[in-house]
Amino acid sequence: MGFPKGRRRIVVAVAALLVTTAVAATVYRVLAPAEVSTPARAAYPAPAEPSAGVVGRLPVAPLIVDGRLRVYAAPRQVYADQPVDNRNRRTPYWSYRRWPAQVSGVVAEGTTALSRWSDGRLVALDARTGAVAWQVDGPEPAEGWTARRTGADAVWDPPGLFPARDAEGRALFVVTGPDRVVAVAAADGRRLWSVAVDGGCRSDVGSTAAGQFVVVDRCAEPAVVEFRDLATGRSTSRWQPPGATAELTVTPVGCAEHRARCRGLRTVGRPAGPAQGWLVGEGSPVSAPALDPV
């Protein structure tokens, strides 16, 4: 004996609703924003002392952190392996994933590895354990994954992300966006300063050993080099090297790490012009012919 026609329709409607709800729940579980942190289970490795020469060949580019770990970036993951002198990549020592945001870049200051994500989130990981140390919103949403297969650009030249130390030696990170520059403390993510800028005609150079952040300002004609105090964010000086044009390029040299705590600059006023080397400190840059290209 079957259901009456009206009741049958109700049963079918309820069944369809249950199926739809189940599918929606499954889709939400799969696609909902999420983060997965897998901390280290082994002891923090000792510093490695590899001999000079080729140590190994890896399919992706690592960032060496604290002389003990290799930290890698993938489109939606930051992870580490060890020891740093192992010839091959190994099972992750720790791992951190986010969805659906993508990794924009990763830098390190001491044992703090800072990752920047395409939704603007800054996530700092304790490299010793892989645990999330802190996370805050950055100045603007960042570009997504652009580092291609090896991930080299994400860890060796991350866009708009700079480790630095002010004149007192306090560690911080400078994060730049299209119209704002922000500095956060490496220890806890506390915002130290925030400055509005015209990013359309400016290019980042890096930080100096004297506690300054350097940019090339092409809004001026000809272009000038601007030095900003890392402790306060204030612009302390604007300097124009000889022969500067709107096409001025500035390259940091003598850096403790890529574009960080640099002791010199190399300037080229125009594409075909000669390069000049400069030492940078608390005052105006000082000519250093030894830094000119050979």
Side-chain angles (χ1 to χ4, degrees):
M1 181 175 177
F3 291 109
K5 189 173 182 180
R7 185 175 296 179
R8 187 181 305 120
R9 290 176 178 172
I10 295 175
V11 171
V12 171
V14 171
L17 180 60
L18 291 174
V19 171
T20 301
T21 302
V23 171
T26 300
V27 170
Y28 178 80
R29 284 197 301 269
V30 173
L31 300 180
E35 60 179 343
V36 179
S37 179
T38 305
R41 296 184 177 179
Y44 193 50
E49 297 181 359
S51 56
V54 177
V55 174
R57 289 179 170 84
L58 305 172
V60 290
L63 174 68
I64 306 302
V65 176
D66 196 30
R68 306 173 189 237
L69 299 176
R70 298 182 298 206
V71 173
Y72 306 86
R76 290 186 171 87
Q77 180 187 20
V78 178
Y79 61 101
D81 74 353
Q82 53 85 26
V84 295
D85 56 353
N86 198 70
R87 293 183 61 84
N88 304 299
R89 192 168 44 162
R90 305 187 67 181
T91 301
Y93 174 66
W94 52 253
S95 171
Y96 176 78
R97 294 176 179 268
R98 291 187 76 223
W99 170 270
Q102 292 186 329
V103 174
S104 172
V106 181
V107 293
E109 179 59 55
T111 58
T112 301
L114 180 67
S115 56
R116 188 182 189 187
W117 298 77
S118 58
D119 59 359
R121 198 69 171 164
L122 303 174
V123 181
L125 304 171
D126 185 339
R128 297 165 296 187
T129 64
V132 175
W134 48 264
Q135 51 181 305
V136 297
D137 288 329
E140 295 90 8
E143 210 174 352
W145 180 258
T146 60
R148 300 185 180 180
R149 183 180 61 83
T150 64
D153 283 352
V155 295
W156 292 350
D157 194 17
L161 197 55
F162 302 86
R165 294 188 184 181
D166 65 17
E168 301 298 322
R170 290 169 293 205
L172 56 107
F173 295 102
V174 177
V175 187
T176 67
D179 55 13
R180 186 159 295 276
V181 179
V182 172
V184 296
D188 54 14
R190 176 172 44 89
R191 182 168 289 197
L192 302 174
W193 49 264
S194 176
V195 178
V197 296
D198 183 354
C201 52
R202 300 165 67 91
S203 57
D204 305 321
V205 176
S207 65
T208 73
Q212 303 158 315
F213 186 65
V214 185
V215 301
V216 178
D217 181 4
R218 296 187 182 83
C219 302
E221 179 61 43
V224 298
V225 181
E226 182 180 68
F227 296 85
R228 194 172 291 276
D229 180 23
L230 282 169
T232 64
R234 297 191 186 96
S235 177
T236 57
S237 64
R238 291 169 64 83
W239 168 73
Q240 198 170 77
T245 68
E247 298 174 301
L248 173 69
T249 61
V250 180
T251 304
V253 295
C255 305
E257 49 191 294
H258 182 59
R259 300 192 298 174
R261 303 200 298 279
C262 306
R263 297 185 178 277
L265 301 173
R266 185 175 291 131
T267 64
V268 179
R270 56 180 62 84
Q276 295 177 282
W278 309 86
L279 293 177
V280 290
E282 295 182 358
S284 298
V286 177
S287 179
L291 298 180
D292 295 349
V294 177

